[in-house]
Amino acid sequence: MTLRIVFGALYAAMAAGQLASFGQMPAIMTAYGLVTDAGAGALAVALIAGELVSGLWLLARPRSRAITPVWVFTAVAVVWALLAVQAYIRGLAVTNCGCFGIYLAQSLNWVVLIQDGLLLLYAGLLLRAARRPGETRSQEAVSEVHRR
């Protein structure tokens, strides 16, 4: 549960920073070399919305086993990782990864790739934990007793 709160706060902070610098987000997305103009703006909106949904959900309901926010968290982590990996492989000079908009800017390097990898790892753990979304805690306890 603690990690859900930590990652919920991280995604909410990322979304807040990106919203506060929304005017610069399309240019940041364009630096990754995959989208331009309207596509960059749409990508920024999608990432911010995903971060808000999953971040606020994880903060508000850290014990929830709902699968939708987990898939949203995972999708955002995958998109950021794909953007970073392909730009890094192509040798693009991304001066601001955009994780927090124009705030806490860091250039794209191996540290950012590790951070993205950790988000993907956590997304996998969330998916694994949410694999039984219909089971309640009391049903889990009964199931555990029967397994013994």
Side-chain angles (χ1 to χ4, degrees):
M1 182 177 86
T2 301
L3 280 177
R4 286 176 163 251
I5 293 169
V6 168
F7 282 103
L10 175 67
Y11 263 29
M14 287 171 65
Q18 293 166 9
L19 279 172
S21 54
F22 187 75
Q24 292 84 14
M25 286 305 294
I28 292 170
M29 295 292 102
T30 299
Y32 285 98
L34 290 181
V35 292
T36 59
D37 303 326
L43 180 59
V45 167
L47 286 170
I48 294 168
E51 290 162 357
L52 274 174
V53 167
S54 58
L56 294 177
W57 186 284
L58 291 172
L59 285 172
R61 301 197 52 189
R63 295 182 188 267
S64 171
R65 294 182 63 102
I67 194 74
T68 301
V70 172
W71 278 113
V72 173
F73 182 97
T74 302
V76 169
V78 166
V79 170
W80 276 118
L82 287 175
L83 285 170
V85 167
Q86 66 81 33
Y88 189 80
I89 289 171
R90 292 169 53 200
L92 298 179
V94 178
T95 57
N96 178 3
C97 69
C99 298
F100 295 92
I102 60 170
Y103 307 98
L104 301 175
Q106 58 182 333
S107 61
L108 180 61
N109 56 39
W110 62 272
V111 174
V112 173
L113 296 178
I114 290 172
Q115 292 167 349
D116 287 341
L118 291 173
L119 284 176
L120 288 173
L121 175 65
Y122 185 67
L125 293 173
L126 278 175
L127 286 170
R128 183 173 179 215
R131 70 184 181 277
R132 295 176 289 166
E135 194 171 70
T136 65
R137 291 195 182 278
S138 61
Q139 289 171 325
E140 282 182 64
V142 170
S143 296
E144 185 62 33
V145 168
H146 288 154
R147 283 186 213 131
R148 291 182 185 171

